[in-house]
Amino acid sequence: MKIQRVLVSQPKPAIIEKSPFYELSQKHNVEIDYQPFNRVVGVSLKEFRAQRVEILEHTAVIFTSRTTVDSFFHICEEARITVPETMKYICQTEAVALYLQKYIVYRKRKISFADGSFTSLIELIIKHKEEKFMLALSDPHRPELPETLQKLKLSVDQVILARTVASDLKEVELKNYDLVALYSPSDIKTLIEKFGTENLPAVAVFGDGALRAAVAAGINVLANAPTPQAPSMVKAIDLYIEKVEKGEQIDPVAVTVDERKEEFIRTQQHKLAKKTRVRRVEAK
């Protein structure tokens, strides 16, 4: 068996030669095609108001994507809401934080960003624990962030600012591919809706959410990232192709519990509870 064609559920890079997938295609003589399985659109003002979340009742907004940034300021403009200069912005990555410059004057004291990891974002939010947060989300989204903030008993209201809708995949012939690379639970959902779960090519996924969605649907995942061995999707596919070329047996990836993440959450719960007890004693 040889891997000849790979379908990646991402937009085609502006400069193919600078894409890490280009290096992969050259290394293994593999054809790489790009086709987003989904697109994200902002919610309407009517949809936003139906959620009964008042922006001005909050002192900080948590952003995990640029799409929710666009939607937030579009809603504010349409609803004629003037966001106060005192509003703080907590961003999952520096890229999202810098994107805010499209709408506001960038001041570091009001804009904070994590390094992209879950634990870094939680630690950043805890540093601002006295704020009343609005968590800007897309639908669907991974539940671990809102669930963790709830466990930590922080003042957070979540609001859906964008929705994921399936792309038109009528021209995609999945049978022509030896592997499909998917990046989100939404990609998995679209795969199932458009193609079913039978006679699929090999499946590679990025992220715990996509892995869990695929396994729950009965799909065998043969390559995944990020892992210590494969921090990127490209590396995960590279390792998979090498195993195929060597004729090695490849077992489906199993879902595991991230004990380090669970321990991190328990530790943060304990710290916050301890600080709360100290404040209560000092207040007496």
Side-chain angles (χ1 to χ4, degrees):
M1 177 181 175
K2 177 174 174 57
I3 305 300
Q4 297 178 318
R5 294 188 70 187
V6 174
L7 179 63
V8 179
S9 65
Q10 294 281 289
K12 186 176 181 179
I15 304 176
I16 294 292
E17 290 75 15
K18 291 187 177 181
S19 166
F21 277 105
Y22 177 75
E23 296 179 10
L24 180 73
S25 68
Q26 296 299 298
K27 178 179 179 180
H28 295 286
N29 193 27
V30 172
E31 182 179 346
I32 308 289
D33 291 335
Y34 301 89
Q35 173 59 62
F37 274 39
N38 299 280
R39 56 191 178 89
V40 182
V41 296
V43 300
S44 66
L45 179 59
K46 182 179 179 181
E47 289 176 299
F48 171 76
R49 284 176 169 164
Q51 299 178 70
R52 300 185 181 280
V53 175
E54 297 293 337
I55 291 174
L56 298 181
E57 290 181 357
H58 301 82
T59 59
V61 185
I62 302 171
F63 288 119
T64 59
S65 71
R66 288 180 288 187
T67 303
T68 52
V69 171
D70 284 332
S71 184
F72 173 81
F73 286 101
H74 174 73
I75 291 293
C76 289
E77 181 181 6
E78 194 172 351
R80 297 181 180 178
I81 297 172
T82 301
V83 181
E85 292 187 359
T86 54
M87 182 72 79
K88 293 182 179 179
Y89 302 95
I90 312 296
C91 303
Q92 187 166 20
T93 64
E94 184 178 11
V96 174
L98 292 173
Y99 190 71
L100 284 167
Q101 294 179 105
K102 181 178 178 180
Y103 299 99
I104 62 174
V105 177
Y106 193 94
R107 294 192 181 99
K108 290 187 177 180
R109 64 185 178 85
K110 294 178 184 175
I111 301 175
S112 305
F113 57 86
D115 63 10
S117 68
F118 175 80
T119 54
S120 174
L121 179 60
I122 293 297
E123 288 173 341
L124 181 59
I125 293 172
I126 290 175
K127 287 182 180 178
H128 298 270
K129 61 182 180 296
E130 303 302 329
E131 304 295 335
K132 183 170 176 55
F133 298 102
M134 188 177 88
L135 174 59
L137 297 169
S138 296
D139 183 33
H141 56 269
R142 294 175 63 180
E144 65 175 349
L145 179 55
E147 287 179 355
T148 299
L149 297 179
Q150 187 176 20
K151 288 179 182 178
L152 297 176
K153 298 181 179 180
L154 298 175
S155 178
V156 181
D157 291 321
Q158 52 183 299
V159 60
I160 301 298
L161 291 185
R163 299 191 185 281
T164 302
V165 296
S167 301
D168 183 1
L169 302 176
K170 290 181 181 179
E171 296 184 1
V172 175
E173 293 287 346
L174 212 56
K175 64 182 180 181
N176 294 334
Y177 295 94
D178 303 298
L179 183 144
V180 56
L182 306 171
Y183 284 78
S184 69
S186 297
D187 284 351
I188 302 298
K189 181 181 178 182
T190 299
L191 174 75
I192 296 169
E193 290 176 349
K194 302 290 185 179
F195 305 103
T197 59
E198 300 294 327
N199 302 315
L200 295 175
V203 172
V205 301
F206 186 90
D208 183 67
L211 175 60
R212 290 179 181 276
V215 172
I219 297 173
N220 286 334
V221 175
L222 298 182
N224 73 305
T227 67
Q229 296 76 27
S232 68
M233 176 69 91
V234 170
K235 185 59 179 178
I237 296 175
D238 180 28
L239 293 175
Y240 172 75
I241 293 176
E242 288 181 351
K243 290 179 181 179
V244 170
E245 292 176 344
K246 292 177 182 178
E248 296 182 12
Q249 179 177 332
I250 304 173
D251 296 321
V253 180
V255 173
T256 59
V257 176
D258 190 336
E259 294 294 345
R260 290 178 299 178
K261 184 179 291 184
E262 294 298 320
E263 179 59 30
F264 168 78
I265 294 173
R266 287 193 292 268
T267 300
Q268 298 306 316
Q269 285 178 301
H270 176 72
K271 287 181 179 179
L272 285 174
K274 185 177 180 180
K275 289 180 180 178
T276 300
R277 289 195 297 269
V278 170
R279 284 198 298 268
R280 286 174 181 172
V281 170
E282 292 176 345
K284 292 181 179 179

